[in-house]
Amino acid sequence: MAILETIVIAFWAMLPAYVPNNAAVLAGGGRPIDGGRMWGDTRMLGDGKTWRGTAAGITAGLALAGLLTLLAPGVSDATGIDVPEFAPLAALGLAAGAMLGDILASFLKRRTGRQRGAMFPGLDQLDFVVVSLPLTALLATDWFTDVFTWGVIAVVVILTPILHVTTNMIAYKLGLKNEPW
């Protein structure tokens, strides 16, 4: 597989995992998932992880996977790159895994004394990848092994931090985020 093809497939396949956290920020607010519960002296997750944001994020990822599945044949014909359609359980694994990864990262941040919005290099950029890929592999094994070759996984691990930093800087400059990471 040529490098351009690998990059396109990696980006396409990860879009349902890339979008949920952004949608959660836009739709967030409401009741915190942890309900205000403490773990020792700190909140379990904090006010930034809400049921509404989580539901909106998963819904956005699922909707995007559905749209990409509809567009895949035309995109494949137009580009000559065979982009994947999304099996329903693959879409669920990517979208829900992305949100779960972000929730787990928040839990780890609280346990290490970091406040909401504090930087945690590495974890901030790859939290959703580390959970969405294994969850997708578990839920849709055949689809996962067909799409996520070692080359595609390598591109995801390299591309994701670059995209994450870039989109966060844009959101910060637009006033959608309080910090640039």
Side-chain angles (χ1 to χ4, degrees):
M1 190 178 323
I3 189 68
L4 178 61
E5 182 179 4
T6 304
I7 292 169
V8 169
I9 290 170
F11 182 73
W12 183 275
M14 285 302 291
L15 277 171
Y18 285 156
V19 166
N21 287 314
N22 298 315
V25 169
L26 296 174
R31 188 167 159 238
I33 293 171
D34 68 9
R37 288 181 199 79
M38 304 291 283
W39 182 295
D41 294 337
T42 60
R43 286 279 298 276
M44 288 181 66
L45 300 173
D47 289 336
K49 301 300 170 230
T50 66
W51 290 109
R52 180 172 51 207
T54 301
I58 293 170
T59 301
L62 291 172
L64 181 58
L67 177 62
L68 293 173
T69 295
L70 293 174
L71 296 174
V75 170
S76 294
D77 289 344
T79 64
I81 298 172
D82 192 19
V83 296
E85 296 179 11
F86 293 87
L89 286 176
L92 180 62
L94 289 163
M99 294 306 303
L100 181 57
D102 191 55
I103 291 166
L104 291 173
S106 181
F107 180 79
L108 290 173
K109 283 182 174 185
R110 298 304 89 76
R111 303 298 61 78
T112 58
R114 288 172 172 84
Q115 296 302 313
R116 180 178 175 190
M119 189 172 15
F120 198 140
L123 183 69
D124 286 332
Q125 292 78 33
L126 293 171
D127 57 355
F128 60 96
V129 172
V130 170
V131 178
S132 65
L133 292 185
L135 184 58
T136 304
L138 179 67
L139 294 177
T141 305
D142 291 339
W143 182 91
F144 182 86
T145 57
D146 286 344
V147 174
F148 284 95
T149 64
W150 287 113
V152 169
I153 291 171
V155 168
V156 167
V157 170
I158 294 166
L159 181 66
T160 298
I162 295 166
L163 290 172
H164 189 272
V165 169
T166 302
T167 56
N168 281 342
M169 288 297 290
I170 292 167
Y172 176 72
K173 293 207 181 272
L174 292 174
L176 299 173
K177 289 190 61 136
N178 295 330
E179 59 282 321
W181 54 84

